[in-house]
């Protein structure tokens, strides 16, 4: 009996600049906790990893800045559309899209697997990881059914909660921190800092979403500043997380704890509070953040597959197909250490895709301007 | 009016009363017209037929419904002028001029209409107006003599405030329109009346502020209501079910209120108000989740108090939704979270209880829902007794008997109190339903289940629309202006713009500086 909603046609969804910035925080913030500061500690062998994170944050800001400059010339188009609309761009665009699909699906499988391991260690000891993992995937598949608008709005809803999660960890761990652990700063020179780049790009996993979502923004709201403030914010939080990890556990121990950041939550003692061991609560808060990451990637994977292979027709089954593939991939790794090794592959894909996208994008801009010049 | 025309079309297509064979015919001969009308409504005994001679000369027949008609008005303002009309003023042949003079000079009634179709006239006749047939005139005259008993304007029971107006809407559409008109004396307040239901033909009104409310929204509301084609729409609750966006959602997508001041606030915010004859509840469209947790009192208290009370209300919603689920999760999965001494005492008190905490919680929650339902049905004074008996005695006895633990009684009681602290009755019901779903999730997966259920609810809410408005505004889509009046309420002179949803034609409450 309910009449069709005729509003949607007249009221198109748009992402505002602030919303995009909040979305970035929601998507990126949750993943850092999976590898920090363990990988950094073992890569560098000095407690200078936080400098690497700052340097990496600056590089990401540069990427955002470059992409925003590109986006300003092509309002309403996402990166792949920009490339595909050029005369030379059809094949490169499709190859890039194929690579992005592979990247999203692999990254999803990786994040999912590690998340389930965290859940098993800290929240549900006896439930098999396959079950917890499939529940997350089903939930994100439900989120994907709400489309871009739904996923972006979920990011906005949960971002304050993920920020609250970090602030809880910082505020209550601060009194116990021994900051002499991070000294000496640059004790072995600047060299080790660059070794850290082996893993730090994973901290910013998810920055690629701007390549796809900024097409939904009004052209006058396409600005780099709010996005870079978000990146700065994320960098700051991850630096603080690393420093706290070193200063609470000591540098040497940080190398051997699987999830030091979550162990930080375990150390929490709120004086006079009702709850005693708060880590399960903190993990549940973190779940929202990781949910944002997974659902956004899931959406982008589904959307890109749809655009690549089935631009028209009934495509409802794609979500379920993608969900199944991710599920299978996630549980192919026999153990978590192999899953962590797999992180390297994803990071390589991420970095090369970002560089490739920007190069192709600027090439597209160059050819487009040449074309326009010839016309006028 | 489109709605009205649509109904009339149906009236013309179908026979007014199925199974009867008669012709709807308007004739200049009075006897034929009278027979037609008798065929339509003559079987009812409360339809009175009165034959008179206007000015001692012209035969005429009056039809009225005894129960709906004000006899005094009829006698004083219709019968008296007509019967006492001097014979010289009454022409031998009825002319249009006589009809005009009847309206302009003779009858002292406020509303008189001359109609050309029986369908149209019967529709108005059935609402209590008097129908006059004059011999020699191929038209019908409708005289407004409506008058019936009405409930007084009382304080609404479902939305009590301490500081604020005490008037409430009642079952009469006219009274309700009066209550709105008296509060907004702006010519832009537009009230459009139509009728609803094939059989019931209840009048309803769509009210909105021209120049504030979005035309698309008004058009959408009108369209959806005109799609309702059923025997009768008994209350705005039924209307809501016909016109809401998502039938499967546990959340209310339209706002119910008994308070005219709530309606006025909605109107000035660009919402559309739907009033329906026969129910004291007005519908407001669209509504957002956060508007459901707002009470009109928030705007009558000082802002600091209002802000604190709003935060309290959000906390109450959290407790009403999550507390039993969290208790189950902590008790069955995460005992480590509970402080040791408390954990020991909980374990001690649960020692004799034979059920797992989920079953225990389910028993208590179900008992509570039962008590609540019984309390509503019972006579008011007995209802209070049941509350005491149920709450205190059964709770105490259940603890003594070892069916539930004392801490469970506390959890259930706290949940119940929090549920009552939510001002919107409809959203409290959705929390009640979702609470059970969350309890099941907590029983299976502990805190993980709770958080997944919470995420799933949020996914549902971001996809939900109320007449095209985002349900979770102002948080998503994010609007700083909206947040000023959501969980907090800033001073009124800061709230210079209207809410983010619905979109309005004029965003500013105060002139822009």
């Amino acid at each position: 009996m309910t009449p069709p909603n005729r509003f949607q046609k007249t009221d198109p969804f748009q992402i505002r600049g602030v919303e995009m910035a909040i979305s970035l925080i929601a998507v990126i913030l949750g993943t850092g906790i999976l590898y920090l500061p363990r990988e950094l500690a073992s890569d560098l062998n000095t407690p200078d990893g936080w400098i690497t994170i700052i340097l990496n944050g600056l590089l990401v800001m540069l990427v955002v800045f470059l992409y925003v400059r590109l986006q300003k010339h092509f309002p309403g188009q996402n990166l792949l559309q920009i490339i595909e609309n050029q005369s030379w761009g059809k094949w490169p665009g499709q190859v890039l899209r194929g690579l992005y699909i592979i990247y999203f699906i692999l990254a999803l499988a990786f994040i999912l697997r590690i998340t389930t391991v965290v859940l098993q260690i800290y929240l549900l000891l006896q439930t098999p990881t396959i079950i917890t993992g499939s529940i997350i995937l089903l939930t994100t598949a439900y989120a994907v059914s709400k489309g871009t608008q739904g996923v972006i709005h979920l990011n906005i809803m949960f971002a304050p909660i993920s920020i609250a999660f970090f602030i809880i960890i910082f505020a209550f761990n601060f009194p116990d921190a021994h900051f002499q652990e991070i000294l000496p700063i640059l004790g072995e020179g600047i060299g080790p800092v660059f070794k850290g780049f082996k893993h730090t790009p994973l901290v910013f996993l998810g920055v690629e979403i701007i390549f796809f979502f900024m097409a939904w923004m009004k052209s006058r709201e396409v600005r780099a500043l709010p996005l870079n403030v978000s990146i700065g914010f994320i960098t700051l939080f991850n630096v603080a997380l690393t420093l706290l990890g070193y200063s609470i556990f000591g540098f040497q121990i940080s190398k051997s704890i699987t999830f030091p950041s979550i162990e930080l939550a375990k150390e929490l003692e709120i004086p006079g509070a009702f709850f005693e061991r708060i880590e399960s609560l903190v993990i549940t808060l973190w779940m929202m953040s990781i949910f944002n990451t997974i659902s956004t990637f899931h959406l982008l994977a589904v959307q890109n597959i749809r655009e690549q292979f089935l631009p028209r027709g009934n495509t409802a089954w794609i979500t379920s197909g993608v969900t199944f593939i991710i599920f299978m991939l996630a549980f192919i790794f026999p153990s978590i250490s192999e899953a962590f090794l797999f992180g390297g592959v994803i990071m390589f894909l991420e970095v090369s895709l970002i560089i490739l996208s920007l190069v192709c994008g600027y090439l597209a801009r160059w050819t487009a301007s040449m074309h326009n010049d010839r016309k006028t | 009016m489109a709605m009205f025309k649509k109904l009339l079309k149906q009236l013309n297509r179908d026979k007014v009363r199925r199974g009867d064979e008669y012709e709807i015919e308007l004739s200049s001969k009075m006897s034929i017209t009278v027979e037609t009308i008798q065929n339509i409504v003559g079987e009812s005994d409360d339809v009175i037929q009165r034959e008179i001679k206007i000015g001692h000369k012209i035969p005429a027949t009056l039809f009225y419904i005894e129960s709906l008609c004000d006899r005094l008005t009829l006698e004083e303002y219709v019968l008296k002028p007509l019967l006492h009309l001097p014979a010289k003023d009454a022409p031998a042949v009825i002319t249009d001029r006589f009809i005009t003079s009847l309206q302009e000079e003779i009858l002292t009634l406020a509303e008189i209409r001359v109609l050309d179709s029986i369908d149209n006239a019967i529709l108005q006749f059935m609402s209590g107006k008097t129908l006059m047939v004059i011999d020699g005139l191929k038209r019908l005259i409708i005289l407004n003599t409506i008058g019936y008993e009405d409930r007084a304007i009382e304080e609404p029971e479902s939305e009590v405030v301490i500081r604020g107006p005490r008037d409430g809407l009642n079952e009469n559409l006219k009274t309700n329109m009066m209550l709105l008109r008296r509060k907004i004396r702006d010519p832009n307040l537009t009230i459009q009346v139509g009728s609803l239901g094939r059989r019931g033909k209840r009048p309803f009104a769509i009210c909105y502020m021209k120049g504030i409310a979005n035309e698309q929204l008004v058009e959408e509301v009108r369209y959806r209501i005109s799609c309702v084609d059923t025997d009768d729409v008994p209350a705005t609750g039924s209307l809501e079910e016909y016109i809401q966006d998502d039938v499967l959602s546990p959340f209310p997508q339209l706002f119910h209120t008994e308070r005219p001041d709530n309606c006025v606030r909605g109107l000035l915010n660009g919402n559309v108000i739907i009033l329906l004859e026969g129910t004291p509840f007005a519908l407001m469209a669209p509504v957002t989740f956060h508007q459901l947790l707002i009470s009109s009192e928030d705007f009558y208290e000082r802002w600091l108090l209002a802000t604190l009370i709003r935060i309290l209300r959000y906390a109450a919603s959290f407790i009403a939704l999550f507390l039993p689920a969290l208790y189950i999760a902590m008790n069955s999965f995460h005992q480590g979270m509970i402080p040791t001494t408390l954990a020991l005492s909980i374990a001690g008190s649960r020692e004799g209880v034979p059920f797992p905490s989920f079953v225990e919680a389910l028993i208590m929650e179900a008992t509570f829902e039962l008590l609540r339902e019984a309390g509503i049905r019972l006579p008011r004074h007995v209802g209070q007794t049941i509350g005491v008996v149920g709450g205190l005695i059964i709770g105490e006895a259940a603890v003594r008997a070892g069916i539930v633990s004392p801490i469970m009684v506390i959890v259930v009681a706290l949940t119940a109190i929090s549920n009552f602290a939510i001002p919107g009755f409809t959203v409290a019901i959705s929390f009640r339903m979702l609470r059970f779903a969350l309890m099941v999730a907590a029983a299976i997966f502990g805190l993980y289940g709770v958080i997944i259920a919470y995420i799933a609810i949020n996914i549902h809410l971001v996809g939900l629309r109320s007449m095209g408005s985002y349900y979770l505004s102002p948080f998503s889509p994010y609007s700083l202006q909206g947040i000023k009046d959501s969980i907090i309420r800033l001073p009124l002179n800061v709230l210079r713009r209207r809410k983010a949803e619905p979109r309005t034609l004029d965003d500013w409450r105060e002139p822009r500086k």
Side-chain angles (χ1 to χ4, degrees):
Chain A
M1 183 72 218
T2 310
N5 191 343
R6 300 179 302 166
F7 255 95
Q8 247 97 0
K9 285 177 204 158
T10 53
D11 194 18
F13 167 65
Q14 269 180 334
I15 303 176
R16 294 179 50 205
V18 188
E19 292 178 338
M20 191 68 230
I22 299 176
S23 226
L24 266 184
I25 295 182
V27 172
I28 302 178
L29 204 54
T31 47
I33 205 167
L34 293 174
Y35 351 85
L36 286 180
R38 166 176 40 90
E39 299 286 343
L40 270 182
S42 44
D43 283 348
L44 264 71
N45 257 325
T46 64
D48 291 333
W50 55 277
I51 302 175
T52 322
I53 298 179
I54 292 177
L55 291 178
N56 204 323
L58 290 175
L59 280 179
V60 173
M61 282 182 189
L62 183 70
V63 168
V64 172
F65 176 74
L66 286 175
Y67 183 69
V68 168
R69 283 197 57 173
L70 182 63
Q71 181 75 49
K72 275 181 184 161
H73 290 267
F74 302 95
Q77 299 180 36
N78 67 32
L79 179 86
L80 298 178
Q81 285 163 343
I82 294 172
I83 296 170
E84 280 176 357
N85 285 346
Q86 304 308 316
S87 51
W88 51 271
K90 191 160 185 252
W91 285 104
Q94 294 207 340
V95 168
L96 207 57
R97 174 166 284 138
L99 285 175
Y100 264 114
I101 293 170
I102 293 169
Y103 162 68
F104 283 134
I105 288 181
L106 291 180
L108 271 169
F110 169 67
I111 298 171
L112 183 72
R113 180 58 191 271
I114 295 180
T115 307
T116 54
V117 172
V118 172
L119 284 173
Q120 193 172 33
I121 296 176
Y122 295 100
L123 210 55
L124 287 173
L125 301 171
Q126 282 148 8
T127 316
T129 49
I130 288 187
I131 302 231
T132 48
S134 57
I135 287 173
I136 298 180
L137 265 188
L138 287 177
T139 322
T140 53
Y142 179 35
V144 169
S145 74
K146 303 289 178 196
T148 311
Q149 173 263 328
V151 168
I152 291 284
H153 282 184
L154 280 171
N155 289 348
I156 304 167
M157 285 299 291
F158 293 157
I161 301 175
S162 4
I163 294 172
F165 157 78
F166 275 87
I167 288 177
I168 289 176
I169 289 191
F170 296 153
F172 292 104
N173 270 315
F174 200 71
D176 300 332
H178 307 288
F179 284 105
Q180 62 271 29
E181 286 286 342
I182 61 167
L183 299 174
I185 295 172
L186 296 179
E188 290 177 28
I190 197 86
V193 170
F194 294 103
K195 283 189 200 157
F197 281 113
K198 256 159 85 183
H199 279 94
T200 45
L202 272 179
V203 173
F204 296 94
L205 190 77
V207 76
E208 315 77 53
I209 65 164
I210 61 166
F211 297 164
F212 297 91
F213 287 139
M214 281 185 84
W216 297 84
M217 290 169 72
K218 264 187 223 160
S219 49
R220 95 186 131 77
E221 290 207 340
V222 175
R223 286 193 306 143
L225 185 69
L227 303 182
N228 275 337
V229 168
S230 297
I231 300 288
F233 204 64
I234 295 161
T235 313
L236 194 74
F237 270 29
N238 280 313
V239 166
L241 198 67
T242 312
L243 290 181
L244 262 185
Y246 289 160
S247 52
I248 297 247
F249 299 117
F251 173 66
Q252 291 304 330
I253 302 173
S254 295
K255 282 189 210 169
S256 52
I257 305 177
T258 321
F259 297 111
S261 308
I262 298 170
E263 290 294 322
L264 277 179
K266 222 171 176 175
E267 296 292 309
L268 287 189
E269 263 184 37
I270 305 176
F274 181 76
F275 297 112
E276 219 163 51
R277 286 174 56 197
I278 206 158
E279 87 268 10
S280 0
L281 204 64
V282 173
I283 296 278
T284 43
L285 293 186
W286 169 75
M287 266 300 297
M288 292 189 193
S289 172
I290 209 74
F291 165 82
N292 281 149
T293 316
I294 298 180
S295 61
T296 309
F297 274 40
H298 203 156
L299 176 83
L300 287 176
V302 169
Q303 278 185 347
N304 277 316
I305 289 179
R306 188 175 296 157
E307 215 160 303
Q308 177 87 326
F309 300 110
L310 287 163
R312 278 170 290 280
N314 182 13
T315 50
W317 56 272
I318 290 182
T319 313
S320 19
V322 171
T323 310
F324 184 70
I325 293 170
I326 298 164
F327 179 73
M328 294 305 274
L329 280 175
F331 291 99
I332 273 179
F333 309 119
S335 73
I336 181 175
S337 39
E338 269 141 58
F340 272 128
L341 284 179
F342 189 62
V345 178
I346 287 163
M347 200 198 72
F348 174 72
L349 253 178
E350 183 199 8
V351 174
S352 40
L353 269 176
I354 287 177
I355 293 170
L356 209 61
S357 307
L358 284 177
V359 169
C360 286
Y362 271 90
L363 213 60
R365 188 187 149 188
W366 184 62
T367 48
S369 62
M370 292 282 279
H371 192 69
N372 284 349
D373 285 348
R374 214 172 297 154
K375 246 200 254 176
T376 53
Chain B
M1 282 319 282
M3 175 69 221
F4 202 69
K5 277 175 194 152
K6 200 180 156 199
L7 260 170
L8 284 175
K9 227 186 234 170
Q10 278 161 12
L11 251 168
N12 288 333
R13 199 183 56 218
D14 302 346
K15 293 202 172 64
V16 178
R17 297 254 310 265
R18 271 174 209 160
D20 284 341
E21 287 291 327
Y22 53 82
E23 305 241 310
I24 294 181
E25 195 185 336
L26 200 54
S27 159
S28 56
K29 261 194 182 159
M30 189 175 84
S31 55
I32 296 179
T33 313
V34 166
E35 204 189 319
T36 309
I37 296 172
Q38 275 174 343
N39 270 331
I40 300 174
V41 292
E43 276 170 49
S44 304
D45 288 335
D46 62 343
V47 173
I48 309 286
Q49 184 182 344
R50 170 87 156 78
E51 283 169 18
I52 54 168
K53 281 215 162 72
I54 300 174
H56 313 284
K57 219 191 262 171
I58 308 159
T61 309
L62 291 174
F63 285 92
Y64 64 91
I65 297 176
E66 198 183 10
S67 44
L68 297 176
C69 186
D70 186 21
R71 196 176 274 256
L72 248 148
T73 318
L74 189 66
E75 283 165 5
E76 194 66 25
Y77 305 113
V78 179
L79 290 177
K80 218 178 193 176
L82 288 180
L83 296 180
H84 290 192
L85 191 72
K88 62 177 165 59
D89 289 352
V93 181
I94 294 289
T95 55
D96 278 353
R97 246 186 75 206
F98 176 65
I99 300 299
T100 317
S101 75
L102 208 62
Q103 287 184 67
E104 287 178 353
E105 295 165 22
I106 300 167
L107 293 176
T108 47
L109 214 59
E111 190 190 339
I112 300 168
R113 276 185 199 171
V114 183
L115 299 174
D116 287 326
S117 91
I118 283 199
D119 303 319
N120 211 339
I122 287 287
L123 208 63
Q124 304 207 24
F125 168 73
M126 291 315 293
S127 65
K129 294 179 181 174
T130 300
L131 188 60
M132 184 157 71
V133 189
I134 302 177
D135 194 26
L137 179 70
K138 210 183 165 182
R139 292 155 107 188
L140 295 168
I141 298 173
I142 283 286
L143 310 158
N144 188 354
T145 52
I146 300 179
Y148 40 79
E149 284 305 306
D150 211 357
R151 192 162 68 101
I153 296 172
E154 286 163 13
E155 186 174 6
E157 266 181 38
S158 65
E159 290 164 274
V160 182
V161 297
I162 297 169
R163 198 170 158 184
R166 312 263 160 173
D167 53 347
L169 300 176
N170 70 9
E171 284 81 359
N172 188 344
L173 184 67
K174 291 252 163 73
T175 317
N176 293 348
M177 296 200 292
M178 175 270 286
L179 285 170
L180 294 189
R181 283 266 185 224
R182 259 174 48 184
K183 289 190 159 78
I184 307 179
R185 291 163 196 201
D186 186 323
N188 287 321
L189 170 57
T190 313
I191 300 183
Q192 295 177 335
V193 183
S195 83
L196 200 55
R198 287 179 166 220
R199 304 274 162 186
K201 299 194 178 74
R202 265 166 214 267
F204 70 92
I206 297 177
C207 321
Y208 62 93
M209 292 297 288
K210 217 191 285 171
I212 298 178
N214 196 337
E215 281 300 322
Q216 275 175 328
L217 171 68
V218 180
E219 186 52 44
E220 179 76 19
V221 172
R222 228 181 263 147
Y223 168 71
R224 288 195 192 184
I225 293 180
S226 68
C227 284
V228 179
D229 188 8
T230 179
D231 266 1
D232 184 24
V233 182
T236 35
S238 333
L239 183 62
E240 182 188 357
E241 232 174 288
Y242 282 116
I243 64 173
Q244 66 191 351
D245 290 66
D246 185 354
V247 186
L248 295 174
S249 170
F251 287 91
Q253 293 136 53
L254 295 164
F255 186 62
H256 278 248
T257 182
E258 263 187 283
R259 300 186 59 85
D261 56 334
N262 265 340
C263 295
V264 166
R265 192 156 45 82
L267 283 172
L268 293 180
N269 192 39
N271 295 40
V272 175
I273 303 285
I274 304 163
L275 301 169
L276 185 67
E277 173 82 27
T279 171
F281 285 98
L283 273 187
M284 194 197 286
V287 69
T288 64
F289 180 76
H290 297 278
Q291 278 172 17
L292 292 170
L293 294 176
I294 285 177
S295 157
S296 58
E297 207 175 2
D298 297 352
F299 299 93
Y300 308 142
E301 294 286 358
R302 302 189 59 242
W303 74 277
L304 265 175
L305 183 65
T307 300
L308 288 175
I309 286 180
R310 283 220 183 142
I311 294 171
L312 191 69
R313 224 177 264 150
Y314 274 84
S317 325
F318 179 82
I319 292 174
L321 200 50
F322 287 105
L323 189 66
L326 285 179
Y327 173 76
I328 293 171
M330 280 196 218
N331 225 339
S332 332
F333 290 88
H334 317 283
Q335 293 92 346
M337 280 178 73
I338 310 171
T340 323
T341 43
L342 185 66
L344 284 177
S345 74
I346 289 178
S349 69
R350 278 183 49 81
E351 204 174 16
V353 180
F355 309 114
S357 56
F358 171 61
V359 177
E360 191 192 359
L362 211 57
I363 290 175
M364 273 317 275
E365 287 289 347
T367 315
F368 175 73
E369 295 294 330
L370 200 66
L371 278 172
R372 179 158 151 152
E373 198 55 27
I376 296 170
R377 303 283 160 253
L378 283 168
R380 197 160 297 169
H381 305 289
V382 190
Q384 279 182 358
T385 326
I386 284 289
V388 174
V389 170
L392 295 178
I393 301 177
I394 295 186
E396 176 67 21
V399 170
R400 289 271 175 93
I403 299 173
V404 296
S405 60
I407 192 128
M408 193 64 233
V409 178
I410 297 175
V411 167
V412 171
L414 209 57
T415 315
I417 294 169
S418 307
N419 211 341
F420 283 121
I422 300 167
F425 181 65
T426 40
V427 74
I429 293 178
S430 15
F431 286 166
R432 261 161 81 187
M433 291 188 287
L434 289 173
R435 185 194 305 149
F436 284 94
L438 278 163
M439 276 159 63
V440 173
I444 303 175
F445 291 113
L447 269 182
Y448 178 65
V450 175
I451 202 71
I452 289 287
Y454 173 70
I455 289 174
I457 292 171
N458 267 294
I459 297 174
H460 170 70
L461 287 179
V462 295
L464 197 59
R465 299 282 185 287
S466 163
M467 292 282 169
S469 283
Y470 294 113
Y471 201 62
L472 282 180
S473 166
F475 291 96
S476 64
Y478 174 78
S479 148
L480 189 63
Q481 292 299 327
I483 286 174
K484 286 180 186 171
D485 179 16
S486 56
I487 294 184
I488 52 174
R489 178 178 84 68
L490 293 186
L492 288 174
N493 51 6
V494 179
L495 304 175
R496 292 177 55 225
R497 294 177 75 164
R498 297 181 216 285
K499 284 195 170 63
E501 294 283 357
R503 306 273 167 79
T504 49
L505 299 178
D506 173 19
D507 276 348
W508 293 80
R509 280 201 184 101
E510 295 176 14
R512 210 186 303 202
K513 275 164 202 160

